[in-house]
Amino acid sequence: MTGMNLVEQHPATYKSLVALSAQAEAGMAETGLDPLLAELVRIRVSQLNGCAFCLRTHTRDALAKGESADRLAVLAAWGESGYFTARERAALAVAERTTRPGEPVRWAYEDEALTDDQASAVSWLAIVMNAWNRVALMSRTPVAP
């Protein structure tokens, strides 16, 4: 199967996803979570899904927002590094659980690191990012230097 342009073929559905994405972003902000944390979640979900287009996009966004190359380099192994705060580790654990719900939980996180509202906001962001990954992968969105 060749890539299909999901955006062109169903523009109304695409617009709905754009709106849902904006709501998920607003939910993160409303709960007091850092916009840079949102980029880390987007990148981690995209790593798990193997979405090169979204990885490139959100890595660039994270760098523009002040993220360090060192932290991005170890994000795939966040649980093994000392680079991430308790809140970030909790958010990344929620993102992984949301992205791969059938897999055993590899990482425990501090119960107090995120409120229920914050964990919900992270879950919604991960859900939306999973959808974006699938749009890019199914559309075979090109990734070139």
Side-chain angles (χ1 to χ4, degrees):
M1 178 176 78
T2 60
M4 61 190 107
N5 190 322
L6 297 176
V7 175
E8 288 179 5
Q9 290 172 301
H10 289 93
T13 306
Y14 170 77
K15 288 178 184 176
S16 294
L17 185 55
V18 169
L20 182 59
S21 187
Q23 286 181 306
E25 179 90 20
M28 291 283 288
E30 288 167 8
T31 63
L33 293 173
D34 188 339
L36 193 50
L37 178 56
E39 295 305 333
L40 293 176
V41 167
R42 289 181 181 109
I43 293 166
R44 185 63 188 131
V45 168
S46 298
Q47 287 173 335
L48 293 169
N49 290 323
C51 183
F53 179 80
C54 294
L55 280 166
R56 182 187 63 187
T57 298
H58 294 290
T59 297
R60 288 177 177 175
D61 291 347
L63 288 167
K65 290 177 181 173
E67 186 55 81
S68 75
D70 279 351
R71 282 172 37 108
L72 291 174
V74 298
L75 181 58
W78 61 267
E80 302 296 333
S81 77
Y83 279 89
F84 301 97
T85 67
R87 178 173 278 176
E88 290 166 337
R89 288 191 311 271
L92 292 167
V94 168
E96 285 192 6
R97 177 85 184 238
T98 303
T99 300
R100 295 192 170 162
E103 291 185 10
V105 177
R106 294 185 308 148
W107 309 107
Y109 60 89
E110 295 80 0
D111 290 334
E112 305 295 318
L114 292 174
T115 66
D116 288 345
D117 282 346
Q118 289 170 331
S120 176
V122 171
S123 293
W124 275 109
L125 185 69
I127 289 165
V128 170
M129 196 66 231
N130 276 285
W132 281 122
N133 289 165
R134 277 136 185 90
V135 168
L137 290 166
M138 290 302 297
S139 297
R140 297 195 181 195
T141 305
V143 180

PDB file of all heavy atoms in Angstrom, residues 46-71:
ATOM      1  N   SER A  46       6.375   9.593  20.026  1.00  0.00           N
ATOM      2  CA  SER A  46       6.823   9.420  18.641  1.00  0.00           C
ATOM      3  C   SER A  46       7.971   8.418  18.543  1.00  0.00           C
ATOM      4  O   SER A  46       8.069   7.683  17.550  1.00  0.00           O
ATOM      5  CB  SER A  46       7.228  10.769  18.043  1.00  0.00           C
ATOM      6  OG  SER A  46       6.113  11.642  18.016  1.00  0.00           O
ATOM      7  N   GLN A  47       8.834   8.373  19.562  1.00  0.00           N
ATOM      8  CA  GLN A  47       9.886   7.346  19.589  1.00  0.00           C
ATOM      9  C   GLN A  47       9.260   5.958  19.649  1.00  0.00           C
ATOM     10  O   GLN A  47       9.658   5.051  18.919  1.00  0.00           O
ATOM     11  CB  GLN A  47      10.804   7.541  20.804  1.00  0.00           C
ATOM     12  CG  GLN A  47      11.733   8.717  20.714  1.00  0.00           C
ATOM     13  CD  GLN A  47      12.492   8.956  22.013  1.00  0.00           C
ATOM     14  OE1 GLN A  47      12.050   8.579  23.101  1.00  0.00           O
ATOM     15  NE2 GLN A  47      13.648   9.598  21.900  1.00  0.00           N
ATOM     16  N   LEU A  48       8.300   5.795  20.523  1.00  0.00           N
ATOM     17  CA  LEU A  48       7.651   4.493  20.686  1.00  0.00           C
ATOM     18  C   LEU A  48       6.940   4.050  19.409  1.00  0.00           C
ATOM     19  O   LEU A  48       6.886   2.853  19.104  1.00  0.00           O
ATOM     20  CB  LEU A  48       6.660   4.534  21.847  1.00  0.00           C
ATOM     21  CG  LEU A  48       7.287   4.705  23.233  1.00  0.00           C
ATOM     22  CD1 LEU A  48       6.217   4.997  24.265  1.00  0.00           C
ATOM     23  CD2 LEU A  48       8.093   3.473  23.619  1.00  0.00           C
ATOM     24  N   ASN A  49       6.403   5.008  18.674  1.00  0.00           N
ATOM     25  CA  ASN A  49       5.660   4.700  17.452  1.00  0.00           C
ATOM     26  C   ASN A  49       6.524   4.709  16.192  1.00  0.00           C
ATOM     27  O   ASN A  49       6.044   4.350  15.119  1.00  0.00           O
ATOM     28  CB  ASN A  49       4.500   5.686  17.277  1.00  0.00           C
ATOM     29  CG  ASN A  49       3.413   5.458  18.299  1.00  0.00           C
ATOM     30  OD1 ASN A  49       3.116   4.321  18.655  1.00  0.00           O
ATOM     31  ND2 ASN A  49       2.816   6.532  18.783  1.00  0.00           N
ATOM     32  N   GLY A  50       7.775   5.132  16.310  1.00  0.00           N
ATOM     33  CA  GLY A  50       8.662   5.162  15.155  1.00  0.00           C
ATOM     34  C   GLY A  50       8.268   6.179  14.099  1.00  0.00           C
ATOM     35  O   GLY A  50       8.405   5.928  12.906  1.00  0.00           O
ATOM     36  N   CYS A  51       7.782   7.333  14.535  1.00  0.00           N
ATOM     37  CA  CYS A  51       7.331   8.357  13.593  1.00  0.00           C
ATOM     38  C   CYS A  51       8.436   9.407  13.378  1.00  0.00           C
ATOM     39  O   CYS A  51       8.599  10.331  14.185  1.00  0.00           O
ATOM     40  CB  CYS A  51       6.055   9.026  14.101  1.00  0.00           C
ATOM     41  SG  CYS A  51       5.416  10.239  12.928  1.00  0.00           S
ATOM     42  N   ALA A  52       9.180   9.265  12.295  1.00  0.00           N
ATOM     43  CA  ALA A  52      10.301  10.157  12.011  1.00  0.00           C
ATOM     44  C   ALA A  52       9.857  11.607  11.823  1.00  0.00           C
ATOM     45  O   ALA A  52      10.521  12.531  12.295  1.00  0.00           O
ATOM     46  CB  ALA A  52      11.061   9.673  10.782  1.00  0.00           C
ATOM     47  N   PHE A  53       8.748  11.815  11.126  1.00  0.00           N
ATOM     48  CA  PHE A  53       8.282  13.175  10.882  1.00  0.00           C
ATOM     49  C   PHE A  53       8.007  13.905  12.200  1.00  0.00           C
ATOM     50  O   PHE A  53       8.456  15.028  12.415  1.00  0.00           O
ATOM     51  CB  PHE A  53       7.032  13.170  10.005  1.00  0.00           C
ATOM     52  CG  PHE A  53       6.498  14.552   9.744  1.00  0.00           C
ATOM     53  CD1 PHE A  53       7.069  15.353   8.778  1.00  0.00           C
ATOM     54  CD2 PHE A  53       5.439  15.057  10.486  1.00  0.00           C
ATOM     55  CE1 PHE A  53       6.593  16.641   8.538  1.00  0.00           C
ATOM     56  CE2 PHE A  53       4.957  16.343  10.261  1.00  0.00           C
ATOM     57  CZ  PHE A  53       5.532  17.135   9.289  1.00  0.00           C
ATOM     58  N   CYS A  54       7.275  13.262  13.099  1.00  0.00           N
ATOM     59  CA  CYS A  54       6.935  13.898  14.373  1.00  0.00           C
ATOM     60  C   CYS A  54       8.162  14.032  15.276  1.00  0.00           C
ATOM     61  O   CYS A  54       8.295  15.015  16.014  1.00  0.00           O
ATOM     62  CB  CYS A  54       5.819  13.134  15.078  1.00  0.00           C
ATOM     63  SG  CYS A  54       4.244  13.206  14.180  1.00  0.00           S
ATOM     64  N   LEU A  55       9.072  13.060  15.215  1.00  0.00           N
ATOM     65  CA  LEU A  55      10.311  13.165  15.992  1.00  0.00           C
ATOM     66  C   LEU A  55      11.105  14.401  15.573  1.00  0.00           C
ATOM     67  O   LEU A  55      11.569  15.170  16.418  1.00  0.00           O
ATOM     68  CB  LEU A  55      11.171  11.912  15.823  1.00  0.00           C
ATOM     69  CG  LEU A  55      10.762  10.727  16.661  1.00  0.00           C
ATOM     70  CD1 LEU A  55      11.451   9.456  16.180  1.00  0.00           C
ATOM     71  CD2 LEU A  55      11.072  10.988  18.126  1.00  0.00           C
ATOM     72  N   ARG A  56      11.264  14.578  14.270  1.00  0.00           N
ATOM     73  CA  ARG A  56      12.007  15.741  13.794  1.00  0.00           C
ATOM     74  C   ARG A  56      11.311  17.032  14.204  1.00  0.00           C
ATOM     75  O   ARG A  56      11.929  17.955  14.723  1.00  0.00           O
ATOM     76  CB  ARG A  56      12.173  15.693  12.277  1.00  0.00           C
ATOM     77  CG  ARG A  56      13.011  16.885  11.768  1.00  0.00           C
ATOM     78  CD  ARG A  56      13.049  16.972  10.284  1.00  0.00           C
ATOM     79  NE  ARG A  56      11.685  17.202   9.804  1.00  0.00           N
ATOM     80  CZ  ARG A  56      11.344  17.197   8.535  1.00  0.00           C
ATOM     81  NH1 ARG A  56      12.234  16.937   7.606  1.00  0.00           N
ATOM     82  NH2 ARG A  56      10.106  17.433   8.167  1.00  0.00           N
ATOM     83  N   THR A  57      10.005  17.097  13.999  1.00  0.00           N
ATOM     84  CA  THR A  57       9.252  18.307  14.309  1.00  0.00           C
ATOM     85  C   THR A  57       9.361  18.667  15.786  1.00  0.00           C
ATOM     86  O   THR A  57       9.696  19.812  16.143  1.00  0.00           O
ATOM     87  CB  THR A  57       7.769  18.113  13.933  1.00  0.00           C
ATOM     88  OG1 THR A  57       7.686  17.897  12.528  1.00  0.00           O
ATOM     89  CG2 THR A  57       6.936  19.316  14.332  1.00  0.00           C
ATOM     90  N   HIS A  58       9.101  17.723  16.663  1.00  0.00           N
ATOM     91  CA  HIS A  58       9.032  18.043  18.089  1.00  0.00           C
ATOM     92  C   HIS A  58      10.412  18.131  18.742  1.00  0.00           C
ATOM     93  O   HIS A  58      10.571  18.836  19.747  1.00  0.00           O
ATOM     94  CB  HIS A  58       8.081  17.095  18.809  1.00  0.00           C
ATOM     95  CG  HIS A  58       6.685  17.319  18.327  1.00  0.00           C
ATOM     96  ND1 HIS A  58       5.980  18.464  18.633  1.00  0.00           N
ATOM     97  CD2 HIS A  58       5.896  16.597  17.497  1.00  0.00           C
ATOM     98  CE1 HIS A  58       4.802  18.428  18.035  1.00  0.00           C
ATOM     99  NE2 HIS A  58       4.731  17.308  17.333  1.00  0.00           N
ATOM    100  N   THR A  59      11.409  17.483  18.162  1.00  0.00           N
ATOM    101  CA  THR A  59      12.777  17.688  18.649  1.00  0.00           C
ATOM    102  C   THR A  59      13.205  19.117  18.351  1.00  0.00           C
ATOM    103  O   THR A  59      13.764  19.804  19.217  1.00  0.00           O
ATOM    104  CB  THR A  59      13.748  16.674  18.016  1.00  0.00           C
ATOM    105  OG1 THR A  59      13.349  15.362  18.427  1.00  0.00           O
ATOM    106  CG2 THR A  59      15.175  16.929  18.446  1.00  0.00           C
ATOM    107  N   ARG A  60      12.906  19.591  17.157  1.00  0.00           N
ATOM    108  CA  ARG A  60      13.219  20.983  16.815  1.00  0.00           C
ATOM    109  C   ARG A  60      12.456  21.954  17.721  1.00  0.00           C
ATOM    110  O   ARG A  60      13.016  22.955  18.180  1.00  0.00           O
ATOM    111  CB  ARG A  60      12.890  21.256  15.352  1.00  0.00           C
ATOM    112  CG  ARG A  60      13.839  20.607  14.384  1.00  0.00           C
ATOM    113  CD  ARG A  60      13.430  20.836  12.950  1.00  0.00           C
ATOM    114  NE  ARG A  60      14.407  20.269  12.025  1.00  0.00           N
ATOM    115  CZ  ARG A  60      14.245  20.238  10.721  1.00  0.00           C
ATOM    116  NH1 ARG A  60      13.159  20.754  10.163  1.00  0.00           N
ATOM    117  NH2 ARG A  60      15.169  19.705   9.945  1.00  0.00           N
ATOM    118  N   ASP A  61      11.186  21.653  17.988  1.00  0.00           N
ATOM    119  CA  ASP A  61      10.385  22.507  18.866  1.00  0.00           C
ATOM    120  C   ASP A  61      10.976  22.534  20.276  1.00  0.00           C
ATOM    121  O   ASP A  61      11.045  23.591  20.913  1.00  0.00           O
ATOM    122  CB  ASP A  61       8.927  22.036  18.920  1.00  0.00           C
ATOM    123  CG  ASP A  61       8.177  22.253  17.612  1.00  0.00           C
ATOM    124  OD1 ASP A  61       8.680  22.980  16.727  1.00  0.00           O
ATOM    125  OD2 ASP A  61       7.082  21.670  17.476  1.00  0.00           O
ATOM    126  N   ALA A  62      11.390  21.370  20.763  1.00  0.00           N
ATOM    127  CA  ALA A  62      11.962  21.291  22.115  1.00  0.00           C
ATOM    128  C   ALA A  62      13.270  22.082  22.193  1.00  0.00           C
ATOM    129  O   ALA A  62      13.501  22.811  23.169  1.00  0.00           O
ATOM    130  CB  ALA A  62      12.193  19.832  22.514  1.00  0.00           C
ATOM    131  N   LEU A  63      14.105  21.941  21.203  1.00  0.00           N
ATOM    132  CA  LEU A  63      15.364  22.697  21.185  1.00  0.00           C
ATOM    133  C   LEU A  63      15.087  24.205  21.151  1.00  0.00           C
ATOM    134  O   LEU A  63      15.736  24.974  21.858  1.00  0.00           O
ATOM    135  CB  LEU A  63      16.225  22.280  19.996  1.00  0.00           C
ATOM    136  CG  LEU A  63      16.854  20.890  20.097  1.00  0.00           C
ATOM    137  CD1 LEU A  63      17.414  20.457  18.744  1.00  0.00           C
ATOM    138  CD2 LEU A  63      17.918  20.850  21.183  1.00  0.00           C
ATOM    139  N   ALA A  64      14.103  24.617  20.373  1.00  0.00           N
ATOM    140  CA  ALA A  64      13.746  26.041  20.288  1.00  0.00           C
ATOM    141  C   ALA A  64      13.216  26.567  21.616  1.00  0.00           C
ATOM    142  O   ALA A  64      13.373  27.753  21.922  1.00  0.00           O
ATOM    143  CB  ALA A  64      12.717  26.258  19.178  1.00  0.00           C
ATOM    144  N   LYS A  65      12.601  25.689  22.412  1.00  0.00           N
ATOM    145  CA  LYS A  65      12.073  26.089  23.722  1.00  0.00           C
ATOM    146  C   LYS A  65      13.118  25.983  24.827  1.00  0.00           C
ATOM    147  O   LYS A  65      12.806  26.216  25.994  1.00  0.00           O
ATOM    148  CB  LYS A  65      10.851  25.242  24.078  1.00  0.00           C
ATOM    149  CG  LYS A  65       9.647  25.555  23.219  1.00  0.00           C
ATOM    150  CD  LYS A  65       8.467  24.663  23.541  1.00  0.00           C
ATOM    151  CE  LYS A  65       7.290  25.003  22.624  1.00  0.00           C
ATOM    152  NZ  LYS A  65       6.175  24.052  22.793  1.00  0.00           N
ATOM    153  N   GLY A  66      14.347  25.591  24.464  1.00  0.00           N
ATOM    154  CA  GLY A  66      15.432  25.581  25.440  1.00  0.00           C
ATOM    155  C   GLY A  66      15.845  24.211  25.952  1.00  0.00           C
ATOM    156  O   GLY A  66      16.677  24.121  26.858  1.00  0.00           O
ATOM    157  N   GLU A  67      15.297  23.146  25.405  1.00  0.00           N
ATOM    158  CA  GLU A  67      15.698  21.806  25.842  1.00  0.00           C
ATOM    159  C   GLU A  67      17.142  21.547  25.442  1.00  0.00           C
ATOM    160  O   GLU A  67      17.606  22.047  24.421  1.00  0.00           O
ATOM    161  CB  GLU A  67      14.774  20.739  25.241  1.00  0.00           C
ATOM    162  CG  GLU A  67      15.029  19.340  25.746  1.00  0.00           C
ATOM    163  CD  GLU A  67      14.979  19.228  27.259  1.00  0.00           C
ATOM    164  OE1 GLU A  67      13.870  19.140  27.807  1.00  0.00           O
ATOM    165  OE2 GLU A  67      16.058  19.241  27.892  1.00  0.00           O
ATOM    166  N   SER A  68      17.845  20.745  26.241  1.00  0.00           N
ATOM    167  CA  SER A  68      19.251  20.463  25.950  1.00  0.00           C
ATOM    168  C   SER A  68      19.380  19.226  25.068  1.00  0.00           C
ATOM    169  O   SER A  68      18.564  18.301  25.131  1.00  0.00           O
ATOM    170  CB  SER A  68      20.034  20.243  27.249  1.00  0.00           C
ATOM    171  OG  SER A  68      19.739  18.979  27.811  1.00  0.00           O
ATOM    172  N   ALA A  69      20.439  19.226  24.283  1.00  0.00           N
ATOM    173  CA  ALA A  69      20.728  18.076  23.432  1.00  0.00           C
ATOM    174  C   ALA A  69      21.018  16.843  24.286  1.00  0.00           C
ATOM    175  O   ALA A  69      20.653  15.727  23.905  1.00  0.00           O
ATOM    176  CB  ALA A  69      21.903  18.386  22.508  1.00  0.00           C
ATOM    177  N   ASP A  70      21.641  17.022  25.448  1.00  0.00           N
ATOM    178  CA  ASP A  70      21.942  15.894  26.332  1.00  0.00           C
ATOM    179  C   ASP A  70      20.673  15.188  26.786  1.00  0.00           C
ATOM    180  O   ASP A  70      20.586  13.958  26.757  1.00  0.00           O
ATOM    181  CB  ASP A  70      22.726  16.342  27.568  1.00  0.00           C
ATOM    182  CG  ASP A  70      24.202  16.514  27.298  1.00  0.00           C
ATOM    183  OD1 ASP A  70      24.671  16.124  26.215  1.00  0.00           O
ATOM    184  OD2 ASP A  70      24.886  17.040  28.192  1.00  0.00           O
ATOM    185  N   ARG A  71      19.691  15.962  27.212  1.00  0.00           N
ATOM    186  CA  ARG A  71      18.441  15.344  27.683  1.00  0.00           C
ATOM    187  C   ARG A  71      17.705  14.662  26.535  1.00  0.00           C
ATOM    188  O   ARG A  71      17.162  13.573  26.699  1.00  0.00           O
ATOM    189  CB  ARG A  71      17.558  16.386  28.364  1.00  0.00           C
ATOM    190  CG  ARG A  71      18.024  16.698  29.781  1.00  0.00           C
ATOM    191  CD  ARG A  71      17.300  17.861  30.430  1.00  0.00           C
ATOM    192  NE  ARG A  71      15.905  18.021  30.157  1.00  0.00           N
ATOM    193  CZ  ARG A  71      14.907  17.775  31.022  1.00  0.00           C
ATOM    194  NH1 ARG A  71      15.182  17.305  32.228  1.00  0.00           N
ATOM    195  NH2 ARG A  71      13.655  17.998  30.695  1.00  0.00           N
TER     196      ARG A  71
END
